[in-house]
Amino acid sequence: MTGAAPDWLEARAPFDDAARQQSLPLLESAAHNLLESTEPGSTLTVVDLGAGTGKSAAWFRRHLTPLLPDRQLAWHLVDGHAPSLQLAGQAFPDAGHLLSMMSDLPAALGEHLEETSGRPTPGSLLLTCSAVLDVLTQADVDAVLTTLTRYRGLGLFLLSITEDWHLDPADPRDETLARAFADHQRWGAKLGAHGGQTMAQSARQRGIAVETSESPWQLRAPQDAEFIHRFFTERVDAVVEAEPGLQREAADWLELRTRQAGGNEGQGLSVTVDHLDVLLNAR
Ligand SMILES: C[S@@+](CC[C@H](N)C(=O)[O-])C[C@H]1O[C@@H](n2cnc3c(N)ncnc32)[C@H](O)[C@@H]1O
């Protein structure tokens, strides 16, 4: 499979980290649940799904560890893209690494855990992910939920992109481009901008408790100009791939937005990109 470009994951990491500050109440709720359902001294198993090069796992570890005193944390990173997982291995040498497609998760993770840190006791498993649900299919979501239910675990799935973005100053083309981008992201039965909502709805149908919150990226010109330019350029490339008829409009829009991001055009540009966070409790 094709993974995310490592330099893209590197570039977005500070913006993801800042956005996930808004996810802390859900993370604290997950930690509280794990403390309630396990004894001091016991081992908790944390599995980051779609771990990429390990940026999201690093964030989860940094924020979860102080919230889980008197527990041993066994970390595992799962991804379907071998080169990314190899980089994650260098960043996280003390974690288990599992090369697996999400659809194979119930069997593959079961075997991997038996061979490494052992089968988690009920209530001691936390599945995490960040910026992953949009690239999954319904079958992948079902595989994740089957895994969660099997271990009566918790799922903390952050930064699932939605269709909405808000640019100030606004431009009538913003909405057209957002819609065309959302269409592009649904190729191959992927859930795209519906990933977070689909996970939440599918979980509710299985009787799993669901909490949600929001964690938008907040991008500001001119300090974030370089990242904004890359983000917009990649969006425009995707839009043109989905709808070649939008090429001229998208190129003009990108040229204007690049000038605004550089702070050279009137008031500075600000961009909010919406994300949904989902906390699942299958205990
Ligand atoms: C946008 S990246 C996020 C990486 C990481 N969570 C982070 O925040 O830096 C999405 C990751 O999901 C992985 N992925 C996408 N679809 C997958 C699938 N069906 N099975 C396993 N991994 C998948 C990709 O290889 C990629 O590493």
Side-chain angles (χ1 to χ4, degrees), residues 107-173:
L109 184 63
E111 253 175 57
H112 170 81
L113 292 178
E114 295 283 356
E115 287 166 10
T116 54
S117 54
R119 184 186 168 91
T121 55
S124 71
L125 173 75
L126 173 65
L127 298 181
T128 59
C129 80
S130 185
V132 171
L133 300 186
D134 62 308
V135 291
L136 300 187
T137 62
Q138 179 70 57
D140 295 331
V141 164
D142 291 339
V144 171
L145 291 174
T146 296
T147 309
L148 199 67
T149 315
R150 178 169 300 168
Y151 299 104
R152 290 173 40 207
L154 297 169
L156 183 59
F157 304 138
L158 305 181
L159 295 197
S160 301
I161 196 147
T162 75
E163 195 168 325
D164 298 322
W165 65 350
H166 312 276
L167 288 83
D168 186 15
D171 182 294
R173 293 167 291 189

Side-chain angles (χ1 to χ4, degrees), residues 216-231:
W217 273 349
Q218 311 275 5
L219 312 177
R220 298 282 173 270
Q223 65 266 33
D224 303 329
E226 192 181 334
F227 182 73
I228 292 174
H229 179 63
R230 177 159 185 188
F231 171 52

Side-chain angles (χ1 to χ4, degrees), residues 4 9 16 47 67 96 101 108 127 174 183 186 188-189 195 201 221 226 242 254 278-279:
L9 296 180
D16 285 350
V47 182
L67 296 176
M101 295 305 291
L127 298 181
D174 298 343
D183 287 347
R186 283 195 293 271
Q201 275 164 16
E226 192 181 334
L254 182 60
V278 182
L279 173 61

